[in-house]
Amino acid sequence: MTTPADLGPRGRLLVDKHANYIRSFEKSRESFEFYATEHFRMSGVYWGLTAMHLLGRLDDMDGTEILEWVLSCAKPDGGFGGSERHDSHLLYTLSAVQILALYDALDQADTERITDYVASLQQADGSFAGDSWGEIDTRFSYCALSCCALLGRLDALDVRRAAQYVAACRNFDGGFGRKPGDESHAGQVFCCVGALAIAGALDLLDRDLLCWWLCERQTRSGGLNGRPEKMQDVCYSWWCLSALSILGRLHWIDGAALSRFILFCQDEDGGGISDRPEDVADVYHTFFGVAGLALLGYRGLQAIDPTYALPVTVMEAVKARHAARVAAES
Amino acid sequence: MEVIHMNSASYSAWEWRWRCLEALGGGPPVLAAEARLLADLAAARPKNYQLWNHRRRLALKRGAAHAPEELDFAAACLGQDAKNYHAWAQRQAVVASFGLWAAELAYAEALIAADVRNNSAWNQRWFVVSGAPTKDPGAVLAREVAFAAAQIRRAPHNDSAWAYLRGLPALPGQAAQLAYEPGIPAICLEVLSGDHPSCPPALALLADVYAAQALAARAAGDATASAAARAAARRCFGHLLVADPLRSAYWRHCLAQLKSGAEEDDEA
C-alpha cells in the first residue's frame, strides 16, 4: 500500500477540525463510548489535552472542571483510578500526574502519597506491578519512573534496579518486550527507552542495533509498524519516533514520507486521526498522530518532549519547579 | 461476572474475581470451571490484558498436569491470530514454569514452517533456544545458523529470519562473534550471488560481518587485512544506498563510521 501523491484536503493538518473533534468528547456524556471507555478515561483525557496543547488550543478546554475531576479520581492508597469508580492503577496515576503538569498544577498533587503508592509497586527484581494485584510489564516501569520524575521524587524508587530489569527485557534484535523473553514490540520499546533515559541508563541498550530495528519499521506507505510483517499504524509514529528521538537517530527514517502517511489518516469531515487511512478516528490515534508530527517539526505545532510525552514548555516549567525546590532546600 | 461481560477490561472486576476464586478454596473443580469460562471469554476478546493475566495465574496454580491443556488453549488462540502477543507470553510462562522446552521448540518450528514471516514464532524459538539448558552451546549455535539459513532460502527478504541469524552469536554461553561464524557470511553470499543480488538484509549483515572482521584484523595488527575488509564493507553499504533508499540516512551513518575507523588505522 502506498500513500497517494495528491492528498487533497488532507494535504495539511486540519487543526480546527481536530480541536473540535477532541472538544466534542466533553459534551457527549450520554453516549455508549463514554461508558465503554470509563476504565481508561484518565488516559483518554491526557491524550486529548496534550493533543490540544500541541495544537495551541488547550484554552478551549475547561481546565478548572478537568482538574477537579482528576483530583476526584485520587484513591486512599495514593494512586489514581481510570475514573472515579475504578481502583488505582499505575497507568492512570501517570496520566493524572501528566494532566496536572499540563496545567502547571503539580502543587495540587499529594506528592508524598503518590510516590509512596508508586514505590509500593516495585518488586525485588526491580520491575513494577501495574496495581496491587501484580501484573508485571515494562509499561509499568516507564509509568513509575516518569511519574516520580515529574514529581521530583525519583529518590523514592530503586532506580538502578528498575533499569536493570528493563535491560533484562532486551532481545536479540535490540528491541524490548513486556517481560524477559517477550517479543520486541515498538510500544514497549518506547517504554523501555523512556525508562532508561529517565534512569540515566541509556548505556544499557545497543543504540545502533535498536535504532536499526526501529527504522526497519517504516513501510512503503511511509507509515511505521510495531513488529516485523505487521501493518503500519499511526500510533507507531509516536512509539518508534520518540525512541529514535531520545537516541538521537530521528533522521534515520524518511520523515517526509511519514508525515504524509499521518496526514492521509485524517478524517477530513469529522476531524480526528485514525490508525490507517479511511478507518474510524479516535482520540488515541489523534494524539499519537499529532505528537508524531510535532516530533517531525511540523509547522505550527508546539514541540513535544520525547521522553515524557508532554509539551517541551510544560517540561521546562516542571524542571524549573524542581530546581527552585532544590535551591530552597539547600 | 456481569461487570466483566459488560466491560471485560475492567481491571478492578478481574481482581475481585480472583479473590473470590481463592475464597472458594480454589479446588480443581472450581479452577476447571474457571478455565472453561475464560476460554469462552477469550474467544470473543483475544487481546484483553486483564483476561490473560487472570488466565496465567490460573494456569500456574493448576500445575504441570494441566500444562498440555493450557498450551492447547494458547495454540487455539494463535490459530486465530498467529501474532497474539498475550497467547505467546502465556506459552512462555507455562513452558518456563514446567520445563517443556523440547515440545515448544517443535511448536515454534511448526509455526515458522506455516508462515516463515511470523516474527512472534521466531521470537519464541529464541526464547526456547536461549532458555533451554544445554551441555553443548557450540552445537546449538551450528544447528540454529543452519536452521536460519534454510528459512532464508525459502524467503530471502524476510527480516525476521535475518534478525534471528544476526542475533545468534549473542546466545548465552557462546564465545562466537559475528566476525568468526563462517555460516553467517556464507548464507549472505549465497543469497546475493543467486537471484537476489540487491537483497537489503543480506547486504546489511554481510557489511557488518566485514566491518567486524576489519576491527578484528586491526586489533591483531594486520593493517592490510583490515583495509581489505573495510573496503568490502564499504561496497555493501554503497550498494544499500541504491537498494534501500528509504533508509539512506542510516546507510550514510554506517559509511561514516567505517571512515572514522579508517582514520584511526592511518594514525596507527
Side-chain angles (χ1 to χ4, degrees), chain A residues 241-310:
Chain A
L241 222 49
S242 56
L244 284 166
S245 177
I246 292 168
L247 298 170
R249 302 284 191 275
L250 195 57
H251 59 289
W252 280 7
I253 61 137
D254 187 335
L258 176 58
S259 291
R260 291 169 47 71
F261 173 77
I262 298 171
L263 292 173
F264 192 41
C265 293
Q266 297 181 99
D267 179 338
E268 65 197 57
D269 300 319
I273 299 175
S274 53
D275 57 350
R276 283 182 279 281
E278 319 307 339
D279 282 358
V280 178
D282 59 63
V283 70
Y284 172 89
H285 289 93
T286 303
F287 166 60
F288 288 114
V290 170
L293 289 172
L295 276 180
L296 291 166
Y298 191 89
R299 201 154 33 101
L301 290 179
Q302 304 280 315
I304 186 164
D305 183 293
T307 305
Y308 292 96
L310 284 168

Side-chain angles (χ1 to χ4, degrees), chain B residues 119-144:
Chain B
N119 194 63
S120 307
W122 282 97
N123 185 72
Q124 196 75 350
R125 188 170 179 99
W126 181 274
F127 170 75
V128 171
V129 168
S130 61
T134 175
K135 291 193 180 75
D136 189 354
V140 171
L141 178 67
R143 182 191 74 201
E144 293 306 306

Side-chain angles (χ1 to χ4, degrees), chain B residues 223-234:
Chain B
T224 314
S226 173
R230 215 171 32 248
R234 196 179 306 121

Side-chain angles (χ1 to χ4, degrees), chain A:
Chain A
M1 192 186 78
T2 53
T3 303
D6 180 8
L7 298 178
R10 295 183 234 170
R12 61 184 180 83
L13 187 65
L14 305 167
V15 172
D16 288 339
K17 296 230 168 175
H18 300 325
N20 287 338
Y21 171 75
I22 292 168
R23 213 169 41 202
S24 71
F25 288 98
E26 267 193 326
K27 302 180 193 118
S28 60
R29 295 188 185 172
E30 307 297 315
S31 70
F32 169 75
E33 286 76 17
F34 187 79
Y35 291 97
T37 59
E38 180 180 342
H39 64 282
F40 67 89
R41 182 159 308 135
M42 188 68 76
S43 294
V45 170
Y46 153 74
W47 296 324
L49 292 175
T50 309
M52 287 298 258
H53 195 297
L54 297 175
L55 293 166
R57 300 290 286 273
L58 189 61
D59 291 344
D60 290 6
M61 308 297 280
D62 185 341
T64 312
E65 195 191 354
I66 289 167
L67 286 175
E68 209 170 281
W69 175 76
V70 168
L71 294 171
S72 78
C73 298
K75 302 292 156 185
D77 60 10
F80 287 77
S83 78
E84 310 89 301
R85 300 197 303 173
H86 283 79
D87 296 338
S88 290
H89 197 290
L90 255 183
L91 289 168
Y92 312 116
T93 304
L94 173 60
S95 292
V97 170
Q98 285 170 316
I99 295 168
L100 294 174
L102 269 175
Y103 280 110
D104 196 18
L106 284 173
D107 53 353
Q108 295 186 37
D110 189 336
T111 300
E112 279 311 305
R113 298 220 355 235
I114 300 174
T115 47
D116 283 352
Y117 170 72
V118 175
S120 75
L121 296 172
Q122 187 164 24
Q123 313 294 304
D125 62 1
S127 68
F128 285 85
D131 58 17
S132 56
W133 301 100
E135 184 188 6
I136 303 291
D137 186 320
T138 46
R139 288 183 302 155
F140 308 144
S141 300
Y142 171 79
C143 291
L145 286 161
S146 179
C147 193
C148 287
L150 289 171
L151 294 169
R153 286 300 316 277
L154 269 182
D155 61 290
L157 306 178
D158 187 336
V159 173
R160 193 179 60 92
R161 204 161 279 200
Q164 283 168 346
Y165 179 79
V166 170
C169 298
R170 194 176 108 189
N171 287 321
F172 61 91
D173 52 20
F176 293 84
R178 287 180 64 194
K179 300 189 301 296
D182 280 0
E183 183 182 2
S184 295
H185 183 292
Q188 308 292 145
V189 167
F190 160 75
C191 294
C192 292
V193 173
L196 292 176
I198 294 168
L202 285 174
D203 57 308
L204 295 180
L205 55 77
D206 184 334
R207 196 176 288 242
D208 280 3
L209 183 62
L210 171 57
C211 289
W212 161 240
W213 186 85
L214 286 168
C215 73
E216 246 186 347
R217 304 279 58 78
Q218 190 161 34
T219 72
R220 276 190 303 170
S221 66
L224 307 172
N225 62 19
R227 291 185 266 166
E229 307 295 338
K230 297 276 281 187
M231 290 279 275
Q232 54 276 355
D233 180 322
V234 160
C235 70
Y236 297 110
S237 309
W238 174 261
W239 305 126
C240 297
L241 222 49
S242 56
L244 284 166
S245 177
I246 292 168
L247 298 170
R249 302 284 191 275
L250 195 57
H251 59 289
W252 280 7
I253 61 137
D254 187 335
L258 176 58
S259 291
R260 291 169 47 71
F261 173 77
I262 298 171
L263 292 173
F264 192 41
C265 293
Q266 297 181 99
D267 179 338
E268 65 197 57
D269 300 319
I273 299 175
S274 53
D275 57 350
R276 283 182 279 281
E278 319 307 339
D279 282 358
V280 178
D282 59 63
V283 70
Y284 172 89
H285 289 93
T286 303
F287 166 60
F288 288 114
V290 170
L293 289 172
L295 276 180
L296 291 166
Y298 191 89
R299 201 154 33 101
L301 290 179
Q302 304 280 315
I304 186 164
D305 183 293
T307 305
Y308 292 96
L310 284 168
V312 167
T313 51
V314 168
M315 285 312 297
E316 282 166 356
V318 168
K319 285 171 188 162
R321 168 192 293 273
H322 298 330
R325 197 198 64 200
V326 171
E329 283 170 4
S330 63

